[in-house]
Amino acid sequence: MKMDCLLAGVGGQGTVLASRLIAQTAMSKGFTAHTSETIGMAQRGGSVISQVRLGHAACAPAIPLGAADLIIGFEPAEALRNLAYLKADGALLVSRNPIRPVTSSLGQGYALDEILAYLAQAAPRCVFIDGEALCREAGSGKVLNVVVLGAAAAEGLLSFSKDELLTTMLAHVPAKFVELNKQAFAVGFDHRKYEAEDGGAK
Amino acid sequence: MAKQLLMGNEAIALGAIRAGVDVVSGYPGTPSTEVLETIAKHRPEHTYIEWSINEKAGMEVAAGAAYAGARALVTMKQVGLNVASDPLMSLAYIGVKGALVVLVADDPGPISSQTEQDTRHFAQFAHLPVFDPTSPEEAYELIGAAFRYSEQYHTPVIFRPTTQICHACASIEVVDEINGHAIEGFVKDMKWVIFPKLSYQNHLRILQQERVLAEDFAAFPYNRLGGSRSAVRGIISNGVSTAYVNEVLAMTGDSVRTLSIATPHPFPVKLALAFLEGLTDVLAVEELDPVLEEELLKLCGRYHLPVNIHGKLTDEMNLAGANHFENVRAAIDTFCGRSATDALPAAPAGLPPLPVRPPVLCAGCPHRGSFYSVKAAMQRAKLPAVFTGDIGCYTLGNAKPLDMVDTCLCMGADITMAQGLQRAESGRKHIAFIGDSTFFHTGIPGIINAVYNGTDITVMILDNSTTAMTGHQPHPGTGHTMMGGVTERVHIDKVLAGCNVKCIKHANPLRLEESIAAVTEAVAYPGVSVVIFEAPCIALFKAEPPLRVAAEKCIGCRRCINEIGCPAISLTTEGKAVIDENLCYGCDLCSQLCPVQAIGGVQK
């Protein structure tokens, strides 16, 4: 297996944990894993990306443009910002809820509908989830990272089974958050059930 | 032992533990911070660890330990080495008894730094060996070699990873054994006392040692000569650039000779000559300065080699910034006679406008209240002012709408630059902003300088009880150490009083009127005055219940947005303010600004 996956989001959304969990799951199956994450000033609410490269014996930390098999967008504008990294036949998994930066509230605006429409046609496979509603269902606004992993497992976007991902996740989150994260993963995995009425997933 | 997913900095830390490190010091700085933190997390009983108050102190603590025969490590970022350069330059002459590894993380990009300086040049300048890993996996091994060389040659050595090594993770097999040793202790000898005559002798000695090391490094296994022996083109690279070169060559299949350099100084001349033999052209792929490129040019000159050296000096590589697959691919394509653009995928066209998303002060950050109260106080008093800033989260106070950082230069410079500005233009108020950790780092001498010279400035100390930007490290004001113990706190106000500062005010930055009053009084004081804003970083406590906007009361005046720029507040399509309950920390600043009391909900 060779797979390059890029996670794009906003500092504070938990992309680092998600990328580590993907890498750890690959390692538990005997694959090599490399990741690279934004750490530093950008973590303060700026644009961040995490890159996961699986199954390369040795590789550079950053994914080349046009080489990502999967982009997981924790936020629509951040998914679009990194679209150039997606392979022609790559897949997108995007949480549709925007995080409006201060610059946008101060008057710059945020073209949400255009961004979502562009993403919808940008890849042969684009799955939207309502991250906000799913997090609410899971009982916390801070578990989007585990919700998206559940959704990615359900959509078959990662080369791992639900149980493989779940086992890694439970081994790497603090004990007091195990139940919450189990719930978040389950809600993400069943995201189509929760979103059946608005037809969000394409 | 099973493979672990380790960040480059974690790999370096575990490699240092394996090498038997006894004493670790340092000052936090991206991208170096996690090295010391990881050693602390896995601390063997014999190892002592501290965050020092600044890099110079850290360097000297580590040097003292190494004089006694310990294996010492000091960690910092590249600009930290500027602060520690005084002891380093002399240490190069004196040498060490145990081992002294100076870890300096460079930050091409830069991602989180003031400069793109290249520590390989510092190594040349100081005549010290420098180790430069190409991957987290290699960093785990190479840090052990750094300790061995330091001990063998009785010299400090520099270990210089870059951001893409420090913050990349790889699966690494960790060895649990520790290469232990006994510390002999300090032995009195004139060789530890730097005098001009000794310096002359030592200068000759370290130049001779450089030649010996260059010979030694020609056979160093991490300096890798590879690729085609019959090729006429060669590529020299180092660090993460080697990984990009390898990835590009695996794709293009170009027949080139390669040389990857793990010891850029002293340069392994013999190996480089073997690399150059029979080549017509060489491309140097490296981040920051053209160090390898210049070394090859020197060799071509000295040995009259007919080889063209391509790189930054010929504008064939990017002069600044980090390397990535794309720019390395383009450079290799051009170097091998292909069009550089054909292979790159077309960028998506017709994208809708994307919001810019710079880093901002967190929702609930007490610095927001500090900046806003100073701004409001100066506006009310109609006093023109210049605001000198410093390094830390609070540099983000420069962003609109706060717009309260007019200068930012280096650690501690806010207090002293305000003094220079005041001497040159006395018609304005000069107000310096400094964080608590930066105050202890290099702020105190600036305070003393202002008091001694009687300069009329006001210093705002933003005391959030931690070193926030680099990930919440303790400092002298917190009362905690990296050995897990509790120590007596150094109180900022007592330090100021001891420096003869006569006007010291305290304020809670989340209570606006109280803060504005404190600022107004301090600024009116002729001479050095200080306001200490005390409120913890939000990462140190659980959020208060979030505030809510009563939509029926909100008049859409946008005051809460336009005045303080909190990332938790945005506008609904109806033009009413709305608070993101996942981001709001309940700091209450916005409710104090709302003219119609539409924001509330804090349950106390």
Side-chain angles (χ1 to χ4, degrees):
Chain A
M1 177 194 67
K2 261 195 187 187
M3 185 182 183
D4 285 343
C5 173
L6 187 145
L7 297 84
V10 177
Q13 279 192 302
T15 53
V16 172
L17 178 66
S19 68
R20 301 271 174 96
L21 291 178
I22 295 171
Q24 297 277 7
T25 310
M27 283 170 62
S28 72
K29 295 186 72 180
F31 297 107
T32 61
H34 290 85
T35 77
S36 172
E37 291 121 4
T38 315
I39 293 173
M41 194 176 241
Q43 282 177 298
R44 304 278 178 271
S47 302
V48 294
I49 59 171
S50 289
Q51 315 195 47
V52 190
R53 310 195 70 188
L54 306 178
H56 304 265
C59 66
I63 300 170
L65 286 173
D69 300 281
L70 171 65
I71 290 181
I72 300 180
F74 284 52
E75 202 277 348
E78 297 312 314
L80 187 56
R81 204 186 300 283
N82 291 285
L83 191 61
Y85 287 96
L86 194 67
K87 254 185 190 163
D89 60 349
L92 280 167
L93 172 65
V94 180
S95 173
R96 63 165 69 248
N97 314 100
I99 295 183
R100 294 172 203 273
V102 174
T103 49
S104 138
S105 305
L106 286 171
Q108 202 200 48
Y110 188 118
L112 178 63
D113 293 342
E114 290 94 317
I115 290 171
L116 291 176
Y118 195 99
L119 286 169
Q121 53 76 50
R125 183 126 189 260
C126 178
V127 180
F128 286 111
I129 60 169
D130 187 337
E132 208 170 282
L134 294 170
C135 282
R136 210 160 31 238
E137 195 66 42
S140 164
K142 311 232 158 111
V143 289
L144 182 64
N145 50 5
V146 174
V147 166
V148 297
L149 287 184
E155 299 295 325
L157 294 170
L158 296 166
S159 315
F160 317 121
S161 71
K162 175 185 180 179
D163 288 342
E164 286 164 348
L165 270 167
L166 198 56
T167 306
T168 316
M169 198 265 292
L170 295 179
H172 287 92
V173 299
K176 60 178 174 176
F177 296 124
V178 159
E179 282 312 311
L180 174 62
N181 281 296
K182 257 188 188 168
Q183 174 67 8
F185 190 87
V187 168
F189 193 84
D190 291 332
H191 73 100
R192 281 179 187 268
K193 188 181 90 190
Y194 292 105
E195 298 180 55
E197 72 274 20
D198 73 332
K202 290 189 179 70
Chain B
M1 175 129 194
K3 286 200 167 188
Q4 299 180 31
L5 185 70
L6 293 179
M7 191 197 275
N9 280 343
E10 294 173 320
I12 293 165
L14 297 183
I17 289 175
R18 180 186 173 194
V21 70
D22 301 300
V23 172
V24 187
S25 55
Y27 188 79
T30 310
S32 71
T33 312
E34 298 83 2
V35 174
L36 191 146
E37 289 182 322
T38 305
I39 298 176
K41 201 167 137 194
H42 301 275
R43 186 177 71 82
E45 213 165 299
H46 69 93
T47 306
Y48 168 79
I49 304 172
E50 69 170 42
W51 281 126
S52 310
I53 56 122
N54 65 29
E55 294 84 355
K56 173 175 152 67
M59 181 82 77
E60 290 154 358
V61 167
Y67 277 21
R71 291 178 182 151
L73 172 70
V74 56
T75 73
M76 63 197 72
K77 66 183 297 175
Q78 87 285 38
V79 286
L81 185 57
N82 302 339
V83 177
S85 63
D86 193 6
L88 183 76
M89 296 305 290
S90 299
L91 274 171
Y93 278 56
I94 294 287
V96 295
K97 180 160 102 177
L100 174 57
V101 177
V102 180
L103 181 138
V104 186
D106 280 355
D107 185 22
I111 308 298
S112 208
S113 299
Q114 304 96 293
T115 71
E116 279 201 298
Q117 66 193 66
D118 192 322
T119 297
R120 296 175 300 167
H121 266 144
F122 232 121
Q124 293 178 336
F125 179 43
H127 304 292
L128 289 177
V130 56
F131 296 83
D132 189 358
T134 62
S135 65
E137 295 94 321
E138 191 178 278
Y140 178 64
E141 304 293 336
L142 205 60
I143 187 75
F147 276 97
R148 284 196 300 280
Y149 271 86
S150 178
E151 206 157 281
Q152 185 188 337
Y153 285 89
H154 305 293
T155 178
V157 305
I158 297 176
F159 191 84
R160 179 260 192 187
T162 57
T163 307
Q164 291 194 69
I165 304 296
C166 294
H167 289 164
C169 297
S171 21
I172 297 172
E173 200 158 326
V174 176
V175 180
D176 280 333
E177 288 89 61
I178 292 177
N179 177 18
H181 75 131
I183 299 173
E184 189 198 13
F186 180 71
V187 178
K188 295 187 182 189
D189 189 306
M190 281 308 287
K191 71 178 183 182
W192 302 118
V193 184
I194 198 160
F195 268 115
K197 182 162 182 255
L198 179 67
S199 296
Y200 171 78
Q201 290 162 352
N202 283 350
H203 190 185
L204 294 175
R205 183 180 58 76
I206 60 176
L207 294 178
Q208 182 55 32
Q209 180 179 275
E210 262 181 331
R211 294 182 187 182
V212 176
L213 274 163
E215 286 277 325
D216 187 326
F217 285 156
F220 189 59
Y222 299 96
N223 289 326
R224 294 189 170 96
L225 181 59
S228 162
R229 287 202 58 79
S230 59
V232 293
R233 287 194 181 88
I235 298 177
I236 189 170
S237 60
N238 72 311
V240 76
S241 303
T242 291
Y244 290 119
V245 168
N246 290 342
E247 192 155 343
V248 169
L249 292 178
M251 207 171 279
T252 61
D254 288 313
S255 172
V256 293
R257 197 179 298 166
T258 55
L259 179 60
S260 176
I261 294 291
T263 58
H265 187 80
F267 193 63
V269 169
K270 269 192 186 158
L271 185 67
L273 287 173
F275 165 70
L276 289 170
E277 195 183 345
L279 296 180
T280 62
D281 293 86
V282 171
L283 177 67
V285 183
E286 58 193 317
E287 292 173 318
L288 307 179
D289 292 340
V291 171
L292 303 176
E293 189 178 350
E294 284 172 353
E295 291 287 359
L296 291 188
L297 282 169
K298 276 195 266 180
L299 288 188
C300 290
R302 187 187 306 154
Y303 295 96
H304 306 288
L305 302 177
V307 189
N308 300 307
I309 309 296
H310 306 260
K312 291 171 188 279
L313 298 173
T314 56
D315 284 324
E316 288 165 272
M317 288 298 310
N318 50 319
L319 301 181
N323 278 338
H324 298 290
F325 178 87
E326 289 71 28
N327 75 306
V328 174
R329 171 82 200 248
I332 292 178
D333 279 344
T334 308
F335 180 62
C336 291
R338 289 184 299 270
S339 157
T341 49
D342 291 356
L344 293 177
L351 252 58
L354 283 168
V356 287
R357 200 186 297 276
V360 289
L361 294 172
C362 302
C365 175
H367 297 336
R368 183 173 285 104
S370 304
F371 282 121
Y372 185 74
S373 54
V374 176
K375 188 176 187 172
M378 301 312 284
Q379 280 171 350
R380 284 186 199 175
K382 297 196 169 60
L383 283 171
V386 178
F387 306 109
T388 57
D390 215 303
I391 310 287
C393 283
Y394 53 101
T395 316
L396 298 173
N398 78 319
K400 286 191 169 47
L402 289 172
D403 193 13
M404 284 293 286
V405 177
D406 295 323
T407 72
C408 178
L409 187 70
C410 65
M411 293 287 283
D414 63 301
I415 298 174
T416 23
M417 290 198 58
Q419 296 165 45
L421 284 159
Q422 174 64 20
R423 294 301 175 190
E425 45 151 53
S426 54
R428 282 199 276 191
K429 289 289 175 187
H430 297 90
I431 299 181
F433 288 85
I434 189 165
D436 42 355
S437 190
T438 309
F439 175 78
F440 289 113
H441 180 280
T442 34
I444 297 168
I447 294 279
I448 298 171
N449 194 62
V451 172
Y452 168 55
N453 292 298
T455 318
D456 182 19
I457 60 165
T458 302
V459 180
M460 305 296 169
I461 300 180
L462 312 181
D463 181 2
N464 62 358
S465 302
T466 190
T467 316
M469 178 56 100
T470 46
H472 309 100
Q473 291 75 28
H475 61 62
T478 65
H480 296 279
T481 70
M482 284 310 273
M483 295 298 281
V486 177
T487 181
E488 201 170 338
R489 288 181 56 198
V490 177
H491 294 274
I492 292 174
D493 52 0
K494 287 185 185 167
V495 172
L496 295 168
C499 295
N500 279 342
V501 176
K502 296 288 193 308
C503 175
I504 304 169
K505 306 280 171 200
H506 292 263
N508 178 346
L510 301 176
R511 294 189 194 134
L512 278 182
E513 286 307 323
E514 168 193 323
S515 294
I516 291 169
V519 171
T520 306
E521 278 183 55
V523 171
Y525 180 86
V528 182
S529 56
V530 175
V531 180
I532 307 175
F533 287 104
E534 289 158 320
C537 172
I538 61 160
L540 303 182
F541 64 96
K542 281 189 79 157
E544 301 285 332
L547 273 69
R548 284 186 191 84
V549 179
E552 72 282 2
K553 282 194 195 167
C554 177
I555 53 171
C557 71
R558 303 167 63 112
R559 190 167 152 80
C560 54
I561 291 172
N562 293 345
E563 293 289 307
I564 52 173
C566 174
I569 311 178
S570 57
L571 282 179
T572 63
T573 42
E574 293 81 40
K576 306 262 186 183
V578 60
I579 294 175
D580 183 335
E581 61 178 40
N582 290 317
L583 290 176
C584 177
Y585 239 75
C587 79
D588 200 40
L589 212 55
C590 55
S591 85
Q592 296 170 55
L593 285 171
C594 180
V596 292
Q597 287 79 47
I599 305 176
V602 184
Q603 299 143 27
K604 286 203 169 135

